[in-house]
Amino acid sequence: MATSEDLAADDAADGAAPGAARRRPPVLRGQGPAVAVVAVGGALGAAARYGAGLLWTTGPSAFPWTTLLVNVVGCAVIGVFLVVVTEGRPAHPLLRPFFGTGVLGGFTTFSTYAVDVRRLLEEGRPGPAVAYLGLTLAAAMAAVWAAAAVTRRLLPRGAGRPV
């Protein structure tokens, strides 16, 4: 634990008067625009996920097909998006946080996936729970991989893509 002498020595080394309050740099210094676009994107993505749930409702004890579909579609879209922004033409620096982190982060719902697995287990349905657990993981990984591979093949050669 620091003593008052240690703090006074630190203040003197910093050029501050002894006992003066230290100024710390703001945590989000310069990150306001990125935080704002992630928040807006997240709200849009969450609204889209909510809309998907309204369009394709699943009963409380039914298999969670909507969540599975949303997560797989979101992973496919992120596969396309990340290839385009990293290997395609240069994009605006706020596009990736807005769409990749915000929209797609708000749209995909792996927390609901975990809750759905728990619900299926609590209902005494370990078979569907394990199937859902594995199917979501396999389908999401396959979707992002396939979408990225197809997008790489479709990108024009001169679009900033590595040769």
Side-chain angles (χ1 to χ4, degrees), residues 33-46 48-49 70 72-86 91-108 144 147 151:
V35 171
V37 298
V38 168
V40 170
L44 293 172
R49 176 177 18 103
V70 161
V72 171
V73 167
C75 285
V77 173
I78 204 160
V80 171
F81 174 70
L82 286 178
V83 167
V84 169
V85 299
T86 60
H92 190 282
L94 292 176
L95 178 62
R96 195 166 169 176
F98 168 73
F99 192 75
T101 304
V103 173
L104 293 175
F107 181 67
T108 56
V144 75
T151 304

Side-chain angles (χ1 to χ4, degrees), residues 114-130 133:
V115 169
D116 287 341
V117 169
R118 181 177 170 193
R119 178 185 53 82
L120 289 167
L121 289 171
E122 287 174 351
E123 291 173 356
R125 300 166 59 197
V130 170
L133 191 68

